[in-house]
Amino acid sequence: QVRLVESGGGVVQPGRSLRLSCAASGFGFSYYDMLWVRQAPGKGLEWVALISFDGGNKYYAESVKGRFTISRDNSENTLSLQMDSLRAEDTAVYYCAKPPGRVNYFDSWGQGALVTVSS
Amino acid sequence: EIVLTQSPATLSVSPGERATLSCRASQSVISNLAWYQQKPGQAPRLLIYGASTRASGIPARFSGSGSGTEFTLSIGSLQSEDFAVYYCQQYNNWPPVFGGGTKVEIK
């Protein structure tokens, strides 16, 4: 079955960088767009970035544009999120998620990776 | 960007009762609306897509309705495992916006 496993979370100081990864299995990874969604403590869900199935198109929320970079390696079935110039407000659980097809709702989610930005 | 407003923020319901949750969109999303359930410490789980189609494995007590700007998620005869936070999400327009959530708690 579909499995998404995030890794790379942790505590980081403001202004520093962190890289999240999402290992995908159980489906044809290279055929699907993929998304990062985050959830600040006690708050709702916020989409962060989306990458097309072939990596050719990337979209970012205004709150992270210019600081975060989404990428993928279809040969390794891995999705990544490079987070630079981190701020306290980036503190959240980051989920990778997969749509069922060429639509933007999400039928599979990882367990999440907690990123804490604090001095 | 479309704004989704969910109400109420918190709904107190007794086990076995019915719960009705609302999601209102700032402009029409046709039927391109999904509902998710999230329990503490867990990832969201897709319940409904296309406003009214249950996702795979979702019990029949969950039903969605509505179109345009007004949507409803109904949970018939609440079970203990249904107490959670529920989010709506539109996918008619870019970006894929989520509502603020409704917490269904035990009365």
Side-chain angles (χ1 to χ4, degrees):
Chain A
Q1 75 275 21
V2 173
R3 190 156 189 246
L4 299 170
V5 180
E6 299 94 340
S7 60
V11 180
V12 61
Q13 293 179 328
R16 304 297 292 265
S17 298
L18 202 64
R19 187 177 183 90
L20 299 180
S21 295
C22 172
S25 60
F27 67 102
F29 180 74
S30 63
Y31 293 99
Y32 291 87
D33 298 348
M34 293 293 294
L35 179 89
W36 287 99
V37 174
R38 69 183 180 183
Q39 186 170 38
K43 302 297 184 182
L45 301 167
E46 178 191 20
W47 84 279
V48 173
L50 182 144
I51 187 168
S52 62
F53 66 99
D54 61 356
N57 292 291
K58 303 175 184 180
Y59 306 90
Y60 299 94
E62 284 297 322
S63 57
V64 307
K65 196 175 290 184
R67 299 187 299 121
F68 289 13
T69 302
I70 190 171
S71 62
R72 65 190 298 159
D73 183 338
N74 284 347
S75 67
E76 297 288 336
N77 289 352
T78 301
L79 174 73
S80 297
L81 186 69
Q82 176 67 37
M83 302 182 293
D84 298 325
S85 302
L86 282 161
R87 306 167 180 168
E89 55 264 36
D90 296 318
T91 294
V93 175
Y94 286 74
Y95 297 100
C96 62
K98 167 199 162 292
R102 291 280 186 262
V103 287
N104 284 324
Y105 64 89
F106 310 102
D107 63 349
S108 298
W109 297 66
Q111 86 288 351
L114 176 61
V115 173
T116 303
V117 184
S118 173
S119 54
Chain B
E1 180 173 308
I2 291 176
V3 175
L4 297 179
T5 302
Q6 291 188 241
S7 61
T10 303
L11 186 62
S12 298
V13 185
S14 299
E17 290 187 340
R18 183 180 187 84
T20 302
L21 289 65
S22 175
C23 177
R24 175 175 293 178
S26 59
Q27 65 188 75
S28 176
V29 299
I30 313 177
S31 294
N32 295 316
L33 189 103
W35 289 93
Y36 302 85
Q37 176 193 66
Q38 187 179 34
K39 298 178 182 179
Q42 296 185 18
R45 176 175 72 145
L46 178 68
L47 296 176
I48 301 283
Y49 62 92
S52 60
T53 302
R54 279 189 302 276
S56 177
I58 302 304
R61 64 180 181 274
F62 291 92
S63 63
S65 63
S67 64
T69 61
E70 300 283 343
F71 300 88
T72 299
L73 174 69
S74 296
I75 313 171
S77 188
L78 270 156
Q79 307 295 304
S80 57
E81 62 266 29
D82 300 334
F83 292 95
V85 180
Y86 293 83
Y87 294 95
C88 58
Q89 180 232 324
Q90 72 82 24
Y91 54 97
N92 189 63
N93 293 56
W94 185 260
V97 171
F98 295 88
T102 291
K103 181 180 180 180
V104 178
E105 64 176 24
I106 300 175
K107 186 175 182 180

